[in-house]
Amino acid sequence: MRWDNLTRDDEAATPALFAADAVTTRTFDTPEFRGITFHEIRARSIINRVPGASRMPFEWTVNPYRGCSHACVYCFARKTHSYLDLDTGLGFDSQIVVKTNAPELLRRELASRRWCGEHIAMGTNVDCYQRAEGRYRLMPGILTALVERANPFSILTKGTLILRDLELLRRASRVTDIGVSVSVGFTDSELWRSVEPGTPSPGRRLDVVRTLSAHGIPCGVLMAPVIPFLSDSPEQLRATVRAIARAGASSVTPLVLHLRPGAREWFTSWLTRHHPRLLRRYDALYGGGSYAPTWYQRRITGMVHDVAAEYGIGPYAAGAHRNVREEPEVRADPPPAPSQLSLL
């Protein structure tokens, strides 16, 4: 593997993040990790700048993991595994790179005079609360470092394990701007099992939204991805938005499936096996590149926002997640012991 050539997520010409002799490969013979290999490394940097050409609304990210056991067939981050000479298909799902020194490295970088306290986004490349986090517990140290510096941040996740860190999120919300969003693109259980086999069910993710909201931490939902011809009918969109609203989400923001190189090939392979009749329609819709046509994206966004307005929720608004109350007005039962091992 090209460990020596692994570069920062944004700059192909920067020095390697770690050397080959810094890698320890482990496998664990337990049911929850069977078939998964962990490559433990000591990274050389942890705060990454997002490329200027990116469509992302943030400039800095922290990614303690590479590869993701969620195994979402559409995941745009699959391409990043090719930088390590790892497979972007099954290898992305089962060869997980763990930056074991992420918390201490982040604490050091946040203390640097060059760091200006800018917003840091997490979970935007691969999920920082995937199953591996249950073993390595990197996020408590990462969140503690951010709290100590009152550094603003946001988290996007499909994982229920975030509830383990509920008190840390409450502490952070008292001292800085934070944003928490859960990804729920659809509520169709059959489609979920097929395209997101390693994730908690949509219902369990909406329970995360409900629990966070009940404890005074507003939680938005990124309705992503909306999958053309499989989850985009008016009836499906309405059912998903209704479930999101009933969970108490502070916002809902739709995002249509995009198919970048690496993800496109893996998704097309899945489509060929499960929905071959849709291949021509996808060729037509995505023939112009990685993104669906603007007219289609606008149509989906318009329908979702119209339905959301009926239920009293809207798109994400900056600053909506700040300042958790000391005591929530609605007291929820204590969150269940979070585990990302049982998907139902």
PDB file of all heavy atoms in Angstrom, residues 6-44:
ATOM      1  N   LEU A   6       0.466   8.772   1.019  1.00  0.00           N
ATOM      2  CA  LEU A   6      -0.805   9.311   1.484  1.00  0.00           C
ATOM      3  C   LEU A   6      -0.641  10.781   1.805  1.00  0.00           C
ATOM      4  O   LEU A   6       0.170  11.170   2.635  1.00  0.00           O
ATOM      5  CB  LEU A   6      -1.296   8.580   2.733  1.00  0.00           C
ATOM      6  CG  LEU A   6      -2.611   9.121   3.301  1.00  0.00           C
ATOM      7  CD1 LEU A   6      -3.735   8.937   2.307  1.00  0.00           C
ATOM      8  CD2 LEU A   6      -2.948   8.451   4.612  1.00  0.00           C
ATOM      9  N   THR A   7      -1.442  11.616   1.147  1.00  0.00           N
ATOM     10  CA  THR A   7      -1.346  13.052   1.334  1.00  0.00           C
ATOM     11  C   THR A   7      -2.606  13.582   1.975  1.00  0.00           C
ATOM     12  O   THR A   7      -3.583  12.873   2.163  1.00  0.00           O
ATOM     13  CB  THR A   7      -1.129  13.754  -0.013  1.00  0.00           C
ATOM     14  OG1 THR A   7      -2.226  13.433  -0.870  1.00  0.00           O
ATOM     15  CG2 THR A   7       0.157  13.309  -0.649  1.00  0.00           C
ATOM     16  N   ARG A   8      -2.583  14.844   2.284  1.00  0.00           N
ATOM     17  CA  ARG A   8      -3.757  15.475   2.859  1.00  0.00           C
ATOM     18  C   ARG A   8      -4.927  15.372   1.901  1.00  0.00           C
ATOM     19  O   ARG A   8      -4.777  15.270   0.700  1.00  0.00           O
ATOM     20  CB  ARG A   8      -3.465  16.939   3.179  1.00  0.00           C
ATOM     21  CG  ARG A   8      -2.480  17.090   4.316  1.00  0.00           C
ATOM     22  CD  ARG A   8      -2.195  18.532   4.610  1.00  0.00           C
ATOM     23  NE  ARG A   8      -3.428  19.281   4.892  1.00  0.00           N
ATOM     24  CZ  ARG A   8      -3.432  20.423   5.568  1.00  0.00           C
ATOM     25  NH1 ARG A   8      -2.320  20.936   6.025  1.00  0.00           N
ATOM     26  NH2 ARG A   8      -4.556  21.058   5.786  1.00  0.00           N
ATOM     27  N   ASP A   9      -6.145  15.415   2.449  1.00  0.00           N
ATOM     28  CA  ASP A   9      -7.329  15.237   1.632  1.00  0.00           C
ATOM     29  C   ASP A   9      -7.435  16.286   0.531  1.00  0.00           C
ATOM     30  O   ASP A   9      -8.074  16.087  -0.478  1.00  0.00           O
ATOM     31  CB  ASP A   9      -8.588  15.345   2.509  1.00  0.00           C
ATOM     32  CG  ASP A   9      -8.681  14.197   3.483  1.00  0.00           C
ATOM     33  OD1 ASP A   9      -8.087  13.149   3.206  1.00  0.00           O
ATOM     34  OD2 ASP A   9      -9.357  14.368   4.509  1.00  0.00           O
ATOM     35  N   ASP A  10      -6.797  17.436   0.723  1.00  0.00           N
ATOM     36  CA  ASP A  10      -7.029  18.537  -0.198  1.00  0.00           C
ATOM     37  C   ASP A  10      -5.861  18.825  -1.112  1.00  0.00           C
ATOM     38  O   ASP A  10      -6.035  19.459  -2.140  1.00  0.00           O
ATOM     39  CB  ASP A  10      -7.341  19.810   0.615  1.00  0.00           C
ATOM     40  CG  ASP A  10      -6.269  20.112   1.639  1.00  0.00           C
ATOM     41  OD1 ASP A  10      -5.893  19.199   2.401  1.00  0.00           O
ATOM     42  OD2 ASP A  10      -5.817  21.253   1.682  1.00  0.00           O
ATOM     43  N   GLU A  11      -4.646  18.414  -0.770  1.00  0.00           N
ATOM     44  CA  GLU A  11      -3.493  18.850  -1.531  1.00  0.00           C
ATOM     45  C   GLU A  11      -2.623  17.656  -1.897  1.00  0.00           C
ATOM     46  O   GLU A  11      -2.010  17.016  -1.046  1.00  0.00           O
ATOM     47  CB  GLU A  11      -2.662  19.856  -0.725  1.00  0.00           C
ATOM     48  CG  GLU A  11      -3.441  21.121  -0.391  1.00  0.00           C
ATOM     49  CD  GLU A  11      -2.694  21.983   0.615  1.00  0.00           C
ATOM     50  OE1 GLU A  11      -2.054  21.433   1.513  1.00  0.00           O
ATOM     51  OE2 GLU A  11      -2.771  23.209   0.462  1.00  0.00           O
ATOM     52  N   ALA A  12      -2.563  17.352  -3.191  1.00  0.00           N
ATOM     53  CA  ALA A  12      -1.822  16.183  -3.636  1.00  0.00           C
ATOM     54  C   ALA A  12      -0.324  16.351  -3.487  1.00  0.00           C
ATOM     55  O   ALA A  12       0.426  15.388  -3.506  1.00  0.00           O
ATOM     56  CB  ALA A  12      -2.166  15.890  -5.096  1.00  0.00           C
ATOM     57  N   ALA A  13       0.144  17.579  -3.321  1.00  0.00           N
ATOM     58  CA  ALA A  13       1.586  17.807  -3.298  1.00  0.00           C
ATOM     59  C   ALA A  13       2.158  17.936  -1.893  1.00  0.00           C
ATOM     60  O   ALA A  13       3.346  18.130  -1.733  1.00  0.00           O
ATOM     61  CB  ALA A  13       1.911  19.087  -4.085  1.00  0.00           C
ATOM     62  N   THR A  14       1.325  17.841  -0.864  1.00  0.00           N
ATOM     63  CA  THR A  14       1.834  18.013   0.490  1.00  0.00           C
ATOM     64  C   THR A  14       2.559  16.758   0.952  1.00  0.00           C
ATOM     65  O   THR A  14       2.368  15.678   0.415  1.00  0.00           O
ATOM     66  CB  THR A  14       0.686  18.314   1.469  1.00  0.00           C
ATOM     67  OG1 THR A  14      -0.279  17.271   1.356  1.00  0.00           O
ATOM     68  CG2 THR A  14       0.051  19.643   1.165  1.00  0.00           C
ATOM     69  N   PRO A  15       3.387  16.855   1.989  1.00  0.00           N
ATOM     70  CA  PRO A  15       4.101  15.675   2.488  1.00  0.00           C
ATOM     71  C   PRO A  15       3.131  14.620   3.000  1.00  0.00           C
ATOM     72  O   PRO A  15       2.007  14.914   3.368  1.00  0.00           O
ATOM     73  CB  PRO A  15       4.946  16.247   3.630  1.00  0.00           C
ATOM     74  CG  PRO A  15       5.018  17.701   3.371  1.00  0.00           C
ATOM     75  CD  PRO A  15       3.742  18.081   2.706  1.00  0.00           C
ATOM     76  N   ALA A  16       3.590  13.377   3.033  1.00  0.00           N
ATOM     77  CA  ALA A  16       2.752  12.284   3.528  1.00  0.00           C
ATOM     78  C   ALA A  16       2.341  12.540   4.966  1.00  0.00           C
ATOM     79  O   ALA A  16       3.092  13.110   5.749  1.00  0.00           O
ATOM     80  CB  ALA A  16       3.518  10.966   3.426  1.00  0.00           C
ATOM     81  N   LEU A  17       1.126  12.108   5.299  1.00  0.00           N
ATOM     82  CA  LEU A  17       0.628  12.302   6.658  1.00  0.00           C
ATOM     83  C   LEU A  17       1.293  11.360   7.654  1.00  0.00           C
ATOM     84  O   LEU A  17       1.336  11.624   8.832  1.00  0.00           O
ATOM     85  CB  LEU A  17      -0.881  12.076   6.684  1.00  0.00           C
ATOM     86  CG  LEU A  17      -1.727  13.227   6.130  1.00  0.00           C
ATOM     87  CD1 LEU A  17      -3.185  12.829   6.137  1.00  0.00           C
ATOM     88  CD2 LEU A  17      -1.523  14.478   6.945  1.00  0.00           C
ATOM     89  N   PHE A  18       1.778  10.223   7.171  1.00  0.00           N
ATOM     90  CA  PHE A  18       2.464   9.302   8.053  1.00  0.00           C
ATOM     91  C   PHE A  18       3.329   8.380   7.203  1.00  0.00           C
ATOM     92  O   PHE A  18       3.143   8.244   6.004  1.00  0.00           O
ATOM     93  CB  PHE A  18       1.471   8.489   8.883  1.00  0.00           C
ATOM     94  CG  PHE A  18       0.360   7.873   8.086  1.00  0.00           C
ATOM     95  CD1 PHE A  18       0.528   6.658   7.457  1.00  0.00           C
ATOM     96  CD2 PHE A  18      -0.852   8.530   7.947  1.00  0.00           C
ATOM     97  CE1 PHE A  18      -0.487   6.088   6.720  1.00  0.00           C
ATOM     98  CE2 PHE A  18      -1.866   7.970   7.207  1.00  0.00           C
ATOM     99  CZ  PHE A  18      -1.694   6.751   6.594  1.00  0.00           C
ATOM    100  N   ALA A  19       4.284   7.748   7.846  1.00  0.00           N
ATOM    101  CA  ALA A  19       5.194   6.852   7.141  1.00  0.00           C
ATOM    102  C   ALA A  19       4.750   5.409   7.305  1.00  0.00           C
ATOM    103  O   ALA A  19       3.967   5.069   8.193  1.00  0.00           O
ATOM    104  CB  ALA A  19       6.609   7.019   7.686  1.00  0.00           C
ATOM    105  N   ALA A  20       5.268   4.548   6.439  1.00  0.00           N
ATOM    106  CA  ALA A  20       4.864   3.146   6.448  1.00  0.00           C
ATOM    107  C   ALA A  20       5.128   2.481   7.791  1.00  0.00           C
ATOM    108  O   ALA A  20       4.381   1.612   8.230  1.00  0.00           O
ATOM    109  CB  ALA A  20       5.581   2.395   5.331  1.00  0.00           C
ATOM    110  N   ASP A  21       6.217   2.853   8.456  1.00  0.00           N
ATOM    111  CA  ASP A  21       6.540   2.205   9.724  1.00  0.00           C
ATOM    112  C   ASP A  21       5.656   2.691  10.870  1.00  0.00           C
ATOM    113  O   ASP A  21       5.807   2.246  12.004  1.00  0.00           O
ATOM    114  CB  ASP A  21       8.018   2.413  10.067  1.00  0.00           C
ATOM    115  CG  ASP A  21       8.414   3.877  10.203  1.00  0.00           C
ATOM    116  OD1 ASP A  21       7.514   4.741  10.086  1.00  0.00           O
ATOM    117  OD2 ASP A  21       9.604   4.152  10.419  1.00  0.00           O
ATOM    118  N   ALA A  22       4.734   3.625  10.582  1.00  0.00           N
ATOM    119  CA  ALA A  22       3.806   4.114  11.603  1.00  0.00           C
ATOM    120  C   ALA A  22       2.476   3.373  11.564  1.00  0.00           C
ATOM    121  O   ALA A  22       1.555   3.708  12.292  1.00  0.00           O
ATOM    122  CB  ALA A  22       3.567   5.614  11.436  1.00  0.00           C
ATOM    123  N   VAL A  23       2.360   2.360  10.710  1.00  0.00           N
ATOM    124  CA  VAL A  23       1.101   1.658  10.513  1.00  0.00           C
ATOM    125  C   VAL A  23       1.098   0.335  11.255  1.00  0.00           C
ATOM    126  O   VAL A  23       2.016  -0.468  11.122  1.00  0.00           O
ATOM    127  CB  VAL A  23       0.858   1.409   9.011  1.00  0.00           C
ATOM    128  CG1 VAL A  23      -0.481   0.686   8.823  1.00  0.00           C
ATOM    129  CG2 VAL A  23       0.878   2.718   8.230  1.00  0.00           C
ATOM    130  N   THR A  24       0.048   0.103  12.049  1.00  0.00           N
ATOM    131  CA  THR A  24      -0.170  -1.185  12.698  1.00  0.00           C
ATOM    132  C   THR A  24      -1.492  -1.740  12.203  1.00  0.00           C
ATOM    133  O   THR A  24      -2.527  -1.085  12.322  1.00  0.00           O
ATOM    134  CB  THR A  24      -0.223  -1.040  14.226  1.00  0.00           C
ATOM    135  OG1 THR A  24       1.015  -0.492  14.686  1.00  0.00           O
ATOM    136  CG2 THR A  24      -0.462  -2.399  14.882  1.00  0.00           C
ATOM    137  N   THR A  25      -1.477  -2.931  11.635  1.00  0.00           N
ATOM    138  CA  THR A  25      -2.691  -3.536  11.093  1.00  0.00           C
ATOM    139  C   THR A  25      -3.240  -4.550  12.084  1.00  0.00           C
ATOM    140  O   THR A  25      -2.514  -5.403  12.585  1.00  0.00           O
ATOM    141  CB  THR A  25      -2.401  -4.225   9.753  1.00  0.00           C
ATOM    142  OG1 THR A  25      -1.954  -3.229   8.816  1.00  0.00           O
ATOM    143  CG2 THR A  25      -3.643  -4.905   9.200  1.00  0.00           C
ATOM    144  N   ARG A  26      -4.546  -4.433  12.370  1.00  0.00           N
ATOM    145  CA  ARG A  26      -5.174  -5.317  13.352  1.00  0.00           C
ATOM    146  C   ARG A  26      -6.493  -5.867  12.812  1.00  0.00           C
ATOM    147  O   ARG A  26      -7.197  -5.188  12.074  1.00  0.00           O
ATOM    148  CB  ARG A  26      -5.464  -4.575  14.658  1.00  0.00           C
ATOM    149  CG  ARG A  26      -4.252  -4.002  15.360  1.00  0.00           C
ATOM    150  CD  ARG A  26      -4.666  -3.370  16.680  1.00  0.00           C
ATOM    151  NE  ARG A  26      -3.596  -2.605  17.287  1.00  0.00           N
ATOM    152  CZ  ARG A  26      -2.656  -3.126  18.065  1.00  0.00           C
ATOM    153  NH1 ARG A  26      -2.679  -4.410  18.328  1.00  0.00           N
ATOM    154  NH2 ARG A  26      -1.724  -2.360  18.589  1.00  0.00           N
ATOM    155  N   THR A  27      -6.808  -7.060  13.209  1.00  0.00           N
ATOM    156  CA  THR A  27      -8.143  -7.626  13.001  1.00  0.00           C
ATOM    157  C   THR A  27      -8.645  -8.128  14.347  1.00  0.00           C
ATOM    158  O   THR A  27      -7.865  -8.538  15.206  1.00  0.00           O
ATOM    159  CB  THR A  27      -8.120  -8.794  11.998  1.00  0.00           C
ATOM    160  OG1 THR A  27      -7.236  -9.810  12.485  1.00  0.00           O
ATOM    161  CG2 THR A  27      -7.651  -8.333  10.627  1.00  0.00           C
ATOM    162  N   PHE A  28      -9.968  -8.061  14.542  1.00  0.00           N
ATOM    163  CA  PHE A  28     -10.567  -8.486  15.806  1.00  0.00           C
ATOM    164  C   PHE A  28     -11.596  -9.567  15.515  1.00  0.00           C
ATOM    165  O   PHE A  28     -12.512  -9.366  14.709  1.00  0.00           O
ATOM    166  CB  PHE A  28     -11.219  -7.297  16.518  1.00  0.00           C
ATOM    167  CG  PHE A  28     -10.270  -6.158  16.762  1.00  0.00           C
ATOM    168  CD1 PHE A  28     -10.334  -5.012  15.992  1.00  0.00           C
ATOM    169  CD2 PHE A  28      -9.307  -6.248  17.748  1.00  0.00           C
ATOM    170  CE1 PHE A  28      -9.454  -3.962  16.206  1.00  0.00           C
ATOM    171  CE2 PHE A  28      -8.425  -5.201  17.972  1.00  0.00           C
ATOM    172  CZ  PHE A  28      -8.499  -4.052  17.196  1.00  0.00           C
ATOM    173  N   ASP A  29     -11.458 -10.696  16.163  1.00  0.00           N
ATOM    174  CA  ASP A  29     -12.339 -11.830  15.917  1.00  0.00           C
ATOM    175  C   ASP A  29     -13.576 -11.728  16.803  1.00  0.00           C
ATOM    176  O   ASP A  29     -13.832 -12.544  17.686  1.00  0.00           O
ATOM    177  CB  ASP A  29     -11.601 -13.147  16.171  1.00  0.00           C
ATOM    178  CG  ASP A  29     -12.419 -14.351  15.719  1.00  0.00           C
ATOM    179  OD1 ASP A  29     -13.313 -14.154  14.882  1.00  0.00           O
ATOM    180  OD2 ASP A  29     -12.162 -15.461  16.211  1.00  0.00           O
ATOM    181  N   THR A  30     -14.343 -10.674  16.571  1.00  0.00           N
ATOM    182  CA  THR A  30     -15.593 -10.483  17.288  1.00  0.00           C
ATOM    183  C   THR A  30     -16.690 -10.259  16.252  1.00  0.00           C
ATOM    184  O   THR A  30     -16.426  -9.751  15.159  1.00  0.00           O
ATOM    185  CB  THR A  30     -15.511  -9.258  18.223  1.00  0.00           C
ATOM    186  OG1 THR A  30     -15.072  -8.122  17.456  1.00  0.00           O
ATOM    187  CG2 THR A  30     -14.530  -9.502  19.351  1.00  0.00           C
ATOM    188  N   PRO A  31     -17.926 -10.633  16.568  1.00  0.00           N
ATOM    189  CA  PRO A  31     -18.995 -10.549  15.556  1.00  0.00           C
ATOM    190  C   PRO A  31     -19.167  -9.167  14.952  1.00  0.00           C
ATOM    191  O   PRO A  31     -19.381  -9.025  13.757  1.00  0.00           O
ATOM    192  CB  PRO A  31     -20.241 -10.977  16.353  1.00  0.00           C
ATOM    193  CG  PRO A  31     -19.712 -11.834  17.447  1.00  0.00           C
ATOM    194  CD  PRO A  31     -18.385 -11.249  17.821  1.00  0.00           C
ATOM    195  N   GLU A  32     -19.031  -8.128  15.790  1.00  0.00           N
ATOM    196  CA  GLU A  32     -19.282  -6.780  15.276  1.00  0.00           C
ATOM    197  C   GLU A  32     -18.206  -6.287  14.321  1.00  0.00           C
ATOM    198  O   GLU A  32     -18.448  -5.374  13.534  1.00  0.00           O
ATOM    199  CB  GLU A  32     -19.449  -5.785  16.435  1.00  0.00           C
ATOM    200  CG  GLU A  32     -18.221  -5.596  17.311  1.00  0.00           C
ATOM    201  CD  GLU A  32     -18.193  -6.526  18.492  1.00  0.00           C
ATOM    202  OE1 GLU A  32     -18.748  -7.634  18.397  1.00  0.00           O
ATOM    203  OE2 GLU A  32     -17.617  -6.137  19.530  1.00  0.00           O
ATOM    204  N   PHE A  33     -17.004  -6.880  14.385  1.00  0.00           N
ATOM    205  CA  PHE A  33     -15.916  -6.437  13.507  1.00  0.00           C
ATOM    206  C   PHE A  33     -15.431  -7.533  12.573  1.00  0.00           C
ATOM    207  O   PHE A  33     -14.380  -7.388  11.947  1.00  0.00           O
ATOM    208  CB  PHE A  33     -14.740  -5.935  14.352  1.00  0.00           C
ATOM    209  CG  PHE A  33     -15.059  -4.718  15.164  1.00  0.00           C
ATOM    210  CD1 PHE A  33     -14.838  -4.706  16.537  1.00  0.00           C
ATOM    211  CD2 PHE A  33     -15.593  -3.592  14.578  1.00  0.00           C
ATOM    212  CE1 PHE A  33     -15.131  -3.589  17.305  1.00  0.00           C
ATOM    213  CE2 PHE A  33     -15.899  -2.458  15.325  1.00  0.00           C
ATOM    214  CZ  PHE A  33     -15.663  -2.456  16.695  1.00  0.00           C
ATOM    215  N   ARG A  34     -16.165  -8.622  12.483  1.00  0.00           N
ATOM    216  CA  ARG A  34     -15.721  -9.722  11.627  1.00  0.00           C
ATOM    217  C   ARG A  34     -15.650  -9.255  10.174  1.00  0.00           C
ATOM    218  O   ARG A  34     -16.566  -8.624   9.649  1.00  0.00           O
ATOM    219  CB  ARG A  34     -16.674 -10.909  11.756  1.00  0.00           C
ATOM    220  CG  ARG A  34     -16.204 -12.165  11.032  1.00  0.00           C
ATOM    221  CD  ARG A  34     -16.911 -13.393  11.546  1.00  0.00           C
ATOM    222  NE  ARG A  34     -16.522 -13.693  12.916  1.00  0.00           N
ATOM    223  CZ  ARG A  34     -17.370 -14.045  13.872  1.00  0.00           C
ATOM    224  NH1 ARG A  34     -18.663 -14.110  13.610  1.00  0.00           N
ATOM    225  NH2 ARG A  34     -16.940 -14.313  15.092  1.00  0.00           N
ATOM    226  N   GLY A  35     -14.535  -9.568   9.522  1.00  0.00           N
ATOM    227  CA  GLY A  35     -14.346  -9.174   8.130  1.00  0.00           C
ATOM    228  C   GLY A  35     -13.768  -7.789   7.951  1.00  0.00           C
ATOM    229  O   GLY A  35     -13.547  -7.346   6.821  1.00  0.00           O
ATOM    230  N   ILE A  36     -13.520  -7.075   9.055  1.00  0.00           N
ATOM    231  CA  ILE A  36     -12.989  -5.715   8.986  1.00  0.00           C
ATOM    232  C   ILE A  36     -11.537  -5.706   9.460  1.00  0.00           C
ATOM    233  O   ILE A  36     -11.193  -6.313  10.470  1.00  0.00           O
ATOM    234  CB  ILE A  36     -13.832  -4.745   9.841  1.00  0.00           C
ATOM    235  CG1 ILE A  36     -15.270  -4.683   9.307  1.00  0.00           C
ATOM    236  CG2 ILE A  36     -13.213  -3.344   9.832  1.00  0.00           C
ATOM    237  CD1 ILE A  36     -16.184  -3.795  10.110  1.00  0.00           C
ATOM    238  N   THR A  37     -10.696  -5.018   8.725  1.00  0.00           N
ATOM    239  CA  THR A  37      -9.293  -4.838   9.096  1.00  0.00           C
ATOM    240  C   THR A  37      -9.068  -3.375   9.442  1.00  0.00           C
ATOM    241  O   THR A  37      -9.505  -2.475   8.722  1.00  0.00           O
ATOM    242  CB  THR A  37      -8.364  -5.234   7.930  1.00  0.00           C
ATOM    243  OG1 THR A  37      -8.580  -6.611   7.617  1.00  0.00           O
ATOM    244  CG2 THR A  37      -6.900  -5.024   8.300  1.00  0.00           C
ATOM    245  N   PHE A  38      -8.386  -3.147  10.569  1.00  0.00           N
ATOM    246  CA  PHE A  38      -8.083  -1.787  11.005  1.00  0.00           C
ATOM    247  C   PHE A  38      -6.599  -1.510  10.812  1.00  0.00           C
ATOM    248  O   PHE A  38      -5.750  -2.291  11.242  1.00  0.00           O
ATOM    249  CB  PHE A  38      -8.454  -1.596  12.479  1.00  0.00           C
ATOM    250  CG  PHE A  38      -9.924  -1.740  12.745  1.00  0.00           C
ATOM    251  CD1 PHE A  38     -10.453  -2.923  13.245  1.00  0.00           C
ATOM    252  CD2 PHE A  38     -10.793  -0.697  12.483  1.00  0.00           C
ATOM    253  CE1 PHE A  38     -11.802  -3.067  13.490  1.00  0.00           C
ATOM    254  CE2 PHE A  38     -12.151  -0.825  12.714  1.00  0.00           C
ATOM    255  CZ  PHE A  38     -12.651  -2.016  13.217  1.00  0.00           C
ATOM    256  N   HIS A  39      -6.296  -0.397  10.171  1.00  0.00           N
ATOM    257  CA  HIS A  39      -4.921   0.063  10.005  1.00  0.00           C
ATOM    258  C   HIS A  39      -4.734   1.257  10.939  1.00  0.00           C
ATOM    259  O   HIS A  39      -5.206   2.360  10.658  1.00  0.00           O
ATOM    260  CB  HIS A  39      -4.642   0.457   8.553  1.00  0.00           C
ATOM    261  CG  HIS A  39      -4.912  -0.645   7.569  1.00  0.00           C
ATOM    262  ND1 HIS A  39      -4.075  -1.727   7.423  1.00  0.00           N
ATOM    263  CD2 HIS A  39      -5.938  -0.827   6.695  1.00  0.00           C
ATOM    264  CE1 HIS A  39      -4.564  -2.537   6.492  1.00  0.00           C
ATOM    265  NE2 HIS A  39      -5.696  -2.015   6.040  1.00  0.00           N
ATOM    266  N   GLU A  40      -4.071   1.041  12.066  1.00  0.00           N
ATOM    267  CA  GLU A  40      -3.865   2.094  13.059  1.00  0.00           C
ATOM    268  C   GLU A  40      -2.629   2.893  12.680  1.00  0.00           C
ATOM    269  O   GLU A  40      -1.541   2.340  12.507  1.00  0.00           O
ATOM    270  CB  GLU A  40      -3.691   1.482  14.445  1.00  0.00           C
ATOM    271  CG  GLU A  40      -4.902   0.654  14.892  1.00  0.00           C
ATOM    272  CD  GLU A  40      -4.647  -0.065  16.197  1.00  0.00           C
ATOM    273  OE1 GLU A  40      -3.503   0.029  16.719  1.00  0.00           O
ATOM    274  OE2 GLU A  40      -5.578  -0.733  16.691  1.00  0.00           O
ATOM    275  N   ILE A  41      -2.791   4.197  12.564  1.00  0.00           N
ATOM    276  CA  ILE A  41      -1.675   5.050  12.162  1.00  0.00           C
ATOM    277  C   ILE A  41      -1.578   6.254  13.097  1.00  0.00           C
ATOM    278  O   ILE A  41      -2.524   6.608  13.790  1.00  0.00           O
ATOM    279  CB  ILE A  41      -1.817   5.516  10.699  1.00  0.00           C
ATOM    280  CG1 ILE A  41      -3.082   6.385  10.514  1.00  0.00           C
ATOM    281  CG2 ILE A  41      -1.899   4.322   9.766  1.00  0.00           C
ATOM    282  CD1 ILE A  41      -2.855   7.849  10.556  1.00  0.00           C
ATOM    283  N   ARG A  42      -0.412   6.850  13.115  1.00  0.00           N
ATOM    284  CA  ARG A  42      -0.215   8.118  13.814  1.00  0.00           C
ATOM    285  C   ARG A  42      -0.065   9.200  12.757  1.00  0.00           C
ATOM    286  O   ARG A  42       0.949   9.280  12.065  1.00  0.00           O
ATOM    287  CB  ARG A  42       1.008   8.050  14.736  1.00  0.00           C
ATOM    288  CG  ARG A  42       0.792   7.106  15.910  1.00  0.00           C
ATOM    289  CD  ARG A  42       1.908   7.204  16.932  1.00  0.00           C
ATOM    290  NE  ARG A  42       1.999   8.523  17.543  1.00  0.00           N
ATOM    291  CZ  ARG A  42       1.204   8.955  18.533  1.00  0.00           C
ATOM    292  NH1 ARG A  42       0.262   8.164  19.013  1.00  0.00           N
ATOM    293  NH2 ARG A  42       1.357  10.160  19.030  1.00  0.00           N
ATOM    294  N   ALA A  43      -1.122   9.989  12.620  1.00  0.00           N
ATOM    295  CA  ALA A  43      -1.156  11.004  11.575  1.00  0.00           C
ATOM    296  C   ALA A  43      -0.208  12.151  11.886  1.00  0.00           C
ATOM    297  O   ALA A  43       0.177  12.374  13.043  1.00  0.00           O
ATOM    298  CB  ALA A  43      -2.578  11.540  11.419  1.00  0.00           C
ATOM    299  N   ARG A  44       0.183  12.884  10.853  1.00  0.00           N
ATOM    300  CA  ARG A  44       1.053  14.043  11.027  1.00  0.00           C
ATOM    301  C   ARG A  44       0.276  15.351  11.100  1.00  0.00           C
ATOM    302  O   ARG A  44       0.811  16.368  11.549  1.00  0.00           O
ATOM    303  CB  ARG A  44       2.061  14.101   9.873  1.00  0.00           C
ATOM    304  CG  ARG A  44       3.078  12.953   9.920  1.00  0.00           C
ATOM    305  CD  ARG A  44       4.005  12.983   8.733  1.00  0.00           C
ATOM    306  NE  ARG A  44       4.989  11.904   8.812  1.00  0.00           N
ATOM    307  CZ  ARG A  44       5.762  11.521   7.807  1.00  0.00           C
ATOM    308  NH1 ARG A  44       5.668  12.129   6.634  1.00  0.00           N
ATOM    309  NH2 ARG A  44       6.619  10.529   7.950  1.00  0.00           N
TER     310      ARG A  44
END
